[in-house]
Amino acid sequence: MNKLITILVLTVALGSSALARESTEIIGARYLGMGDCFIACSRDRSILFANPAALDRPDGRMFTAMGLVSSVNSKTTDVVRFALDHRKDFENVSDMSEADQNAFFDDIVNNINFKRMNLMLSIEPFGMIQRPVGGTVFSDSRATGMAFRGASGTPLVDADLRQDFGGIVGFGWGWTGLRSFLPNRLSVGASLKYIHRSIFSTRETVTELSDGEGAKMLNGTTVGLDLGLLYDINSRLCVGAAIYDAIAGDIKWKGDSTTYSRVEPGDIEKIEPALRLGVTCRLPWNVPHLSSELVAFDLNEPFDGDVSFFKKIHAGIEASVLASWFKVRMGISQGYPTVGLSVFGLTYAYYTEEEGRHAGQLPDRRHVISFGL
Amino acid sequence: MRFTVLILLVLLAGGCNLFSPFYDEGKSNDRDDIIGDVQAALERGEPDKAYEYASRGIEKYPGCASLYYLGAVAKVQSSDVGFTDFASMLRSENKGQGGYAAALSAFQRGLAQGDTTWFLDLSPDDLARMAGAFSVSYDYLDSVLTIIARPGGATKEEIEQFQGDSQLGLGISGLMKTMLTVLDQDHNLDNGFVLSPTIRAFRTATGGWSFTATLDPAVICGAWDWLETGQEALYDHYRTVVGGTLPEDIPTNYLYVHVEDWTDPQIDTGTLSGEFFESVHDGMVDFHGKYSCSGEVSRHE
């Protein structure tokens, strides 16, 4: 029983220590607060991740030192709260009677059963954007962990860890009046990225966990090319598109084989291109105390038949209130509400990621903050 | 218009999804949608719904390992069966110094002795709850492993996700199904579980339950195949867990084992899977010594 409790405590710790699912969180809390829209409206230091065409029209010259984005889902905070509330019980497990141990063990399992914990931390130690070029180095770490009662009631642990180190350089070009049917500003951009990725992915029963085999990360590298486009329909309305990994090398995993890893050395992770479309509009309203009102709409992977249509829809609005350094945001992402605000360089957003196949099935509520100097 | 906007704002403020009316969960006939529905219901903490979706999916896709596995998980969760139930079957009176696995072996030995008394932390109602869960999980997990063993029957991802837990689960379910079938009035869990009137159940002074029974050899042997199928799965699980550290002369398949000839299996009991396997195997040796159940012989010939 002690062994099992230790395993579950470790599971809680694992979920609390790190990362795993592809998402747009690295682009920052600003856009998540406004419904996860960024294709046509990104003009800040997120350009290199969002749409390289915006390198032709950034918000001035930007240097970033210690940019940071971090997110945590509410299931993780629930589990951490449970662990903190029962800190003394965890410390005194070995002194408990067997009946108390069983009751405590039951309590743990009931509280963490199917709670998929999710953590993400992205650090951008240095970045620079000066029209029409930009570059940055970054690390992006993600972890998901979940424990649940398996097919006979005995617990299982499911964990994914992923850590990326990389760099991106990009270039944007722009023309005004290029053709008669394109009278306004057209911008295109491309960015080249190098990523060194380490992963660990496993699902283990209690008996498998008890065999003492340690976790080993597998490593791989890839180089990919992102392409972007922006076009001003008029002075307020702009449309955009980005193809991520338009050309990208597959990742071949290297490292030591482990018994329960879902990924083996020699396995190939195919990097598929992903298309995202967007439109943004600066509103002509004249509302007292509000300024810089912006409305945006994104459609993610419009031609991917594996994802239901309503999971692809994002829409949001942003406005400065009273002063340009205080912004509020709200939106709809995959059908769920999002809210956010920024004060100077600190940005917070609350949003929901759909973890099910269809919108509304399995909401995962997340908090994200981003900060940059 | 304002009323509609107000309703939308209230729905959003409550965290509802605007698009959820566009998908009717549990109604799709698409295989991946059904699997997604089961998974989503499980993660939302709605195992009854998950089991209903999985059962419907299995009728449509009887060769789908994912649906059988998730169906077993859903049934066990909806019956609220957890590890502590298993531990309660093996409470301290049975356990002695040898840990849960030894207690498990003692339980089986009790069966093998023919007339016995068991001390459990479970009431007859708890036994009925567990009987429903383990009867279904046994059938479903047996199907998962049968599909996985068939070339091309399951995807690589299904094997990686489900094989380990299915082996362990089938081992435990086989053992529990055998035990509960023996205790059942008509010895058929498909008809539900009613404690046999020949078994006397009473509360102990320590708050547990005690059961006394005189057992029918024909009933024990009738359940032998479940025990052996479960043990075969536990053996495969053990071999996976210990990997390359197995002795060279160990049989490659439990079906090749004649339990009466393999009384000292030299299993590494330093691992939990080894402990489970060896204790159940010891019980089977005792069973065989007492009853010489013929089901086992027919499987080898």
Side-chain angles (χ1 to χ4, degrees):
Chain A
M1 181 55 74
N2 282 344
K3 196 184 281 184
L4 290 174
I5 289 173
T6 307
I7 288 163
L8 281 179
V9 173
L10 285 174
T11 306
V12 174
L14 174 72
S16 312
S17 67
L19 30 141
R21 193 186 128 71
E22 296 289 348
S23 83
T24 54
E25 286 156 328
I26 195 170
I27 291 169
R30 176 186 171 190
Y31 304 101
L32 290 165
M34 51 187 296
D36 199 13
C37 299
F38 50 82
I39 284 293
C41 56
S42 171
R43 300 287 185 274
D44 57 14
R45 65 188 176 87
S46 64
I47 286 172
L48 286 160
F49 299 101
N51 187 347
L55 287 167
D56 178 52
R57 47 178 89 178
D59 287 338
R61 182 189 299 178
M62 286 173 270
F63 292 96
T64 302
M66 282 315 291
L68 182 146
V69 183
S70 181
S71 82
V72 59
N73 68 346
S74 52
K75 289 170 187 164
T76 304
T77 56
D78 289 347
V79 171
V80 170
R81 198 174 298 126
F82 174 82
L84 292 174
D85 289 347
H86 294 79
R87 199 186 315 171
K88 283 189 178 167
D89 293 328
F90 281 109
E91 286 168 1
N92 300 325
V93 162
S94 53
D95 300 331
M96 288 180 183
S97 68
E98 189 174 314
D100 287 345
Q101 278 188 357
N102 282 344
F104 181 47
F105 182 79
D106 234 0
D107 202 19
I108 295 172
V109 172
N110 287 336
N111 271 280
I112 66 173
N113 189 40
F114 276 122
K115 282 211 162 86
R116 189 183 293 277
M117 296 174 281
N118 191 313
L119 280 161
M120 172 266 185
L121 176 66
S122 172
I123 297 172
E124 197 182 339
F126 174 77
M128 185 277 295
I129 291 171
Q130 181 173 13
R131 182 174 179 266
V133 295
T136 187
V137 291
F138 66 95
S139 76
D140 181 54
S141 306
R142 291 159 193 267
T144 56
M146 177 172 76
F148 62 98
R149 292 193 306 239
S152 58
T154 53
L156 273 88
V157 171
D158 188 298
D160 288 282
L161 308 172
R162 198 191 82 193
Q163 184 150 43
D164 288 348
F165 291 101
I168 304 181
V169 290
F171 195 90
W173 299 264
W175 304 269
T176 302
L178 184 66
R179 292 282 187 275
S180 58
F181 58 91
L182 294 173
N184 301 320
R185 185 88 181 158
L186 171 73
S187 305
V188 295
S191 60
L192 192 67
K193 60 191 175 189
Y194 166 83
I195 295 174
H196 175 86
R197 177 168 289 180
S198 303
I199 61 162
F200 172 69
S201 176
T202 192
R203 175 179 282 198
E204 297 185 33
T205 62
V206 283
T207 52
E208 290 166 342
L209 277 166
S210 71
D211 79 346
E213 187 178 52
K216 291 173 186 163
M217 303 286 276
L218 295 175
N219 302 298
T221 57
T222 183
V223 175
L225 182 73
D226 295 346
L227 301 174
L229 179 145
L230 288 170
Y231 180 69
D232 291 330
I233 303 292
N234 56 40
S235 61
R236 295 190 177 276
L237 193 64
C238 176
V239 294
I243 304 173
Y244 305 108
D245 299 306
I247 304 169
D250 296 337
I251 300 179
K252 185 174 183 182
W253 298 112
K254 294 174 186 167
D256 295 329
S257 176
T258 50
T259 310
Y260 313 113
S261 177
R262 279 187 280 237
V263 185
E264 297 289 329
D267 283 358
I268 304 282
E269 180 181 332
K270 289 196 81 65
I271 308 292
E272 303 284 354
L275 171 68
R276 192 163 174 133
L277 307 175
V279 56
T280 189
C281 179
R282 294 197 176 276
L283 297 176
W285 300 343
N286 189 13
V287 182
H289 310 303
L290 293 184
S291 59
S292 308
E293 299 98 333
L294 191 71
V295 172
F297 177 86
D298 273 17
L299 192 58
N300 190 23
E301 303 242 39
F303 305 115
D304 184 348
D306 289 340
V307 180
S308 73
F309 176 72
F310 294 110
K311 280 184 70 175
K312 302 174 180 181
I313 296 174
H314 305 268
I317 185 166
E318 175 190 68
S320 294
V321 182
L322 300 173
S324 61
W325 49 263
F326 182 58
K327 290 179 187 290
V328 294
R329 305 176 183 96
M330 59 188 294
I332 296 169
S333 175
Q334 302 180 319
Y336 295 107
T338 68
V339 291
L341 59 87
S342 321
V343 179
F344 294 111
L346 183 65
T347 305
Y348 165 82
Y350 171 80
Y351 77 107
T352 303
E353 183 82 18
E354 176 54 63
E355 296 280 11
R357 270 178 70 78
H358 296 273
Q361 275 198 304
L362 195 55
D364 186 30
R365 305 186 199 291
R366 299 183 186 180
H367 305 270
V368 55
I369 54 164
S370 56
F371 177 74
L373 294 174
Chain B
M1 178 65 185
R2 281 184 183 172
F3 186 65
T4 309
V5 170
L6 188 65
I7 288 176
L8 286 177
L9 286 174
V10 168
L11 285 174
L12 285 171
C16 295
N17 191 295
L18 280 185
F19 304 134
S20 54
F22 295 98
Y23 180 68
D24 205 356
E25 188 177 275
K27 298 288 191 291
S28 171
N29 289 326
D30 178 78
R31 180 180 172 278
D32 292 338
D33 275 347
I34 298 171
I35 293 170
D37 291 352
V38 179
Q39 186 75 41
L42 274 173
E43 292 200 29
R44 287 198 308 265
E46 297 173 359
D48 291 333
K49 267 190 186 174
Y51 180 62
E52 181 194 323
Y53 299 160
S55 304
R56 183 174 158 272
I58 287 167
E59 282 176 18
K60 289 191 179 302
Y61 300 99
C64 177
S66 297
L67 287 170
Y68 281 111
Y69 175 78
L70 293 170
V73 173
K75 182 63 183 176
V76 164
Q77 299 246 348
S78 71
S79 305
D80 201 23
V81 169
F83 184 79
T84 46
D85 281 316
F86 189 53
S88 298
M89 287 286 282
L90 314 166
R91 64 186 250 140
S92 50
E93 282 89 337
N94 300 313
K95 197 165 81 169
Q97 298 297 311
Y100 289 113
L104 196 116
S105 190
F107 198 105
Q108 277 182 287
R109 284 204 178 97
L111 284 176
Q113 284 158 16
D115 54 343
T116 186
T117 300
W118 303 300
F119 297 100
L120 308 175
D121 274 338
L122 298 161
S123 68
D125 287 345
D126 288 329
L127 293 179
R129 174 172 56 86
M130 292 168 69
F134 284 117
S135 177
V136 170
S137 69
Y138 175 89
D139 292 344
Y140 280 14
L141 296 175
D142 195 22
S143 298
V144 172
L145 294 175
T146 303
I147 292 168
I148 285 176
R150 195 186 305 145
T155 63
K156 181 173 179 278
E157 191 186 21
E158 284 178 319
I159 295 169
E160 284 161 354
Q161 296 274 81
F162 307 141
Q163 190 171 30
D165 191 42
S166 295
Q167 288 170 335
L168 179 63
L170 184 59
I172 291 173
S173 301
L175 178 64
M176 301 304 258
K177 186 176 179 180
T178 303
M179 290 176 172
L180 293 161
T181 299
V182 167
L183 301 176
D184 185 30
Q185 184 174 23
D186 66 356
H187 310 298
N188 183 356
L189 298 183
D190 292 341
N191 303 327
F193 177 88
V194 177
L195 192 64
S196 171
T198 64
I199 294 171
R200 204 158 60 87
F202 55 90
R203 297 300 297 259
T204 65
T206 55
W209 284 80
S210 171
F211 299 85
T212 60
T214 301
L215 301 172
D216 180 354
V219 172
I220 302 267
C221 287
W224 179 267
D225 276 356
W226 302 325
L227 201 56
E228 195 180 50
T229 301
Q231 181 64 347
E232 181 192 349
L234 275 185
Y235 187 61
D236 291 342
H237 186 61
Y238 164 72
R239 288 174 61 86
T240 309
V241 172
V242 297
T245 63
L246 286 164
E248 280 183 11
D249 58 347
I250 198 167
T252 54
N253 190 320
Y254 195 76
L255 289 177
Y256 303 147
V257 172
H258 289 256
V259 292
E260 68 276 23
D261 299 333
W262 201 35
T263 52
D264 184 15
Q266 299 291 313
I267 292 296
D268 173 15
T269 51
T271 63
L272 203 53
S273 59
E275 254 187 80
F276 272 134
F277 169 75
E278 180 155 323
S279 56
V280 179
H281 178 78
D282 288 349
M284 292 185 75
V285 171
D286 286 350
F287 261 138
H288 193 272
K290 174 80 179 175
Y291 302 110
S292 298
C293 295
S294 57
E296 172 258 358
V297 175
S298 65
R299 290 189 67 158
H300 297 303
E301 289 177 346

